[in-house]
Amino acid sequence: MRFSELVKASWHALIANPKRSFLTTIGIIIGIASVVTIMTLGAGVKKQMLRDLDTTQTGQQTAEIYYNSRDMFLNEPGFDNRDVTMLMDANLKGVAKVEILQQTKKIGMTAIINDSQQAMTVDLVNKPVKQPIVAGQNLTTYDFEVKNPVMLMSDKLATKMYTTAANAVGTSVTVQQTTYTVIGVYHNKAADARLPNPLYLNSSTGKQGNGIKLTFKPGAQVSVGAKQALHQLKKSGSHHRDGRYEYIDMGKLLKGISKSISGITYFVAAIAGISLFIAGIGVMNMMYISVSERTQEIGVRLALGATPKNIMMQFLLEAIILTVSGGVIGLVIGTSVAAVASMAMPFRAIVTPASVALAFGVSTAVGIVFGLLPAKQAANKNLIDILR
């Protein structure tokens, strides 16, 4: 008996009881749909996260090098314009741009206050902030627009340096060669002073920080260029004698994150796939019932010359067609659910070849595993016993 005839006979046997066949495939549909949905969303999360960590908005790869001072009480930043110039002149492999990463919250620095050197923490602000003013006045929008060299001092620092908050108003504070006038004293325990961000960052001495960012040309080997930069900084960085430079290998980090996301995705998918085992039991149960109901049909086919192998192949094909049909429907439902769900999320669902292969591979495997024993039972039936 030809294979095409076996497939046709198996299909006709299934559509003879459409309701029972459909109800049997529901478990397969739910299981495959759940697994595909999880894997599709997991692939979307993985791609989006790796893209965010690995590239800029224009698709360029970046690397960051940080400076740690050996003296924990030293507030001077580890990078300045000298480091940027040195790295750009070094012709690092694949590096297109070098810039200093500037902090805007609680920057540690040294200032000249009341003719004495004082360590303090500073907040950089981009607009006036509502806060309790103890003496003087708050920063205004005009101060930010014209870049006035003015600042606010905390009441704690003001009373320490000038006895009273009122005495601090109108005094001068020198921060990295720029002189600011204290126009107000505010109540704040988190930072010693508050400076307008536009003026600080646009001043030549303001371009400092404890981190430096390397932007690479598309297709460049990030680790090679970053290690070259690290070597240059250790050799002739502006603060190479006062601390150490550290480079985080984003390539290794991304690989680790990728493995973790994939592991979590497969683990959750495996839990969802437990329903496939239950569905397989349902398929086996239906096939046993089908074998017992079609004993006379099996006898007729044997009498007409069909071999036990033909009988076994027919029932096995029925189980496979049943599960694969459920797998196809589950694949469509799973990808549709993932696509709809991703509309409300900051990433797009991605249908991977693995998801498609899983839908067909697992559903076929379920059909073979759980359809084999009923098919063997059908093939082992004896024609004489059937005729009795």
Side-chain angles (χ1 to χ4, degrees), residues 20-135:
R20 185 168 68 182
S21 298
F22 176 73
L23 291 173
T24 305
T25 61
I26 287 180
I28 301 294
I29 294 171
I30 294 174
I32 294 295
S34 301
V35 173
V36 169
T37 300
I38 293 169
M39 292 190 66
T40 303
L41 292 176
V45 171
K46 179 179 174 180
K47 184 175 181 179
Q48 183 64 39
M49 185 174 292
L50 295 183
R51 183 189 295 120
D52 292 342
L53 290 173
D54 191 39
T55 61
T56 63
Q57 291 182 351
T58 59
Q60 293 175 300
Q61 293 178 301
T62 62
E64 295 176 1
I65 299 174
Y66 292 93
Y67 170 81
N68 291 309
S69 175
R70 292 190 180 93
D71 185 355
M72 62 181 297
F73 298 103
L74 187 64
N75 292 307
E76 292 185 4
F79 296 104
D80 57 32
N81 289 329
R82 292 174 293 174
D83 298 297
V84 174
T85 302
M86 178 196 67
L87 292 177
M88 289 302 296
D89 292 341
N91 295 320
L92 303 175
K93 189 173 182 179
V95 175
K97 183 180 179 182
V98 180
E99 57 187 325
I100 293 174
L101 296 172
Q102 295 170 316
Q103 293 178 309
T104 58
K105 290 293 182 181
K106 295 184 181 179
I107 300 176
M109 61 180 62
T110 302
I112 305 298
I113 306 174
N114 198 13
D115 297 328
S116 64
Q117 195 170 21
Q118 179 68 33
M120 66 177 187
T121 56
V122 174
D123 273 348
L124 299 181
V125 291
N126 292 306
K127 60 182 180 180
V129 179
K130 291 183 179 180
Q131 59 204 340
I133 299 297
V134 179

Side-chain angles (χ1 to χ4, degrees), residues 93-310:
K93 189 173 182 179
V95 175
K97 183 180 179 182
V98 180
E99 57 187 325
I100 293 174
L101 296 172
Q102 295 170 316
Q103 293 178 309
T104 58
K105 290 293 182 181
K106 295 184 181 179
I107 300 176
M109 61 180 62
T110 302
I112 305 298
I113 306 174
N114 198 13
D115 297 328
S116 64
Q117 195 170 21
Q118 179 68 33
M120 66 177 187
T121 56
V122 174
D123 273 348
L124 299 181
V125 291
N126 292 306
K127 60 182 180 180
V129 179
K130 291 183 179 180
Q131 59 204 340
I133 299 297
V134 179
Q137 67 181 43
N138 198 356
L139 297 171
T140 65
T141 304
Y142 178 77
D143 293 325
F144 289 88
E145 291 176 351
V146 301
K147 298 183 177 66
N148 273 341
V150 293
M151 65 177 287
L152 297 179
M153 183 179 291
S154 71
D155 53 353
K156 181 179 179 181
L157 181 60
T159 54
K160 175 184 176 182
M161 303 302 298
Y162 299 101
T163 308
T164 66
N167 290 339
V169 178
T171 60
S172 297
V173 176
T174 301
V175 178
Q176 298 176 353
Q177 300 179 3
T178 300
T179 301
Y180 295 84
T181 300
V182 179
I183 63 171
V185 177
Y186 69 108
H187 178 68
N188 191 303
K189 296 181 179 179
D192 296 318
R194 188 158 280 167
L195 300 179
N197 194 28
L199 174 64
Y200 179 81
L201 295 183
N202 285 329
S203 64
S204 59
T205 57
K207 295 177 182 178
Q208 302 182 24
N210 283 325
I212 203 163
K213 181 179 179 181
L214 308 174
T215 303
F216 292 82
K217 300 173 184 177
Q221 293 182 328
V222 176
S223 60
V224 174
K227 288 177 181 178
Q228 288 180 347
L230 187 64
H231 176 73
Q232 288 290 331
L233 289 168
K234 287 181 177 179
K235 180 181 178 182
S236 34
S238 60
H239 289 73
H240 71 281
R241 292 187 178 90
D242 303 320
R244 66 181 185 276
Y245 301 97
E246 296 180 350
Y247 158 62
I248 300 176
D249 191 338
M250 291 300 293
K252 291 183 179 178
L253 179 62
L254 293 174
K255 287 180 181 178
I257 292 174
S258 176
K259 288 182 179 179
S260 297
I261 296 175
S262 297
I264 293 172
T265 301
Y266 289 131
F267 176 73
V268 176
I271 294 175
I274 293 175
S275 61
L276 290 171
F277 178 79
I278 300 172
I281 299 297
V283 171
M284 180 183 287
N285 183 55
M286 177 202 162
M287 293 307 299
Y288 272 124
I289 294 173
S290 179
V291 170
S292 62
E293 290 179 346
R294 295 160 60 188
T295 301
Q296 291 185 351
E297 177 190 333
I298 295 172
V300 171
R301 296 180 70 85
L302 289 171
L304 293 176
T307 64
K309 183 179 179 180
N310 295 144

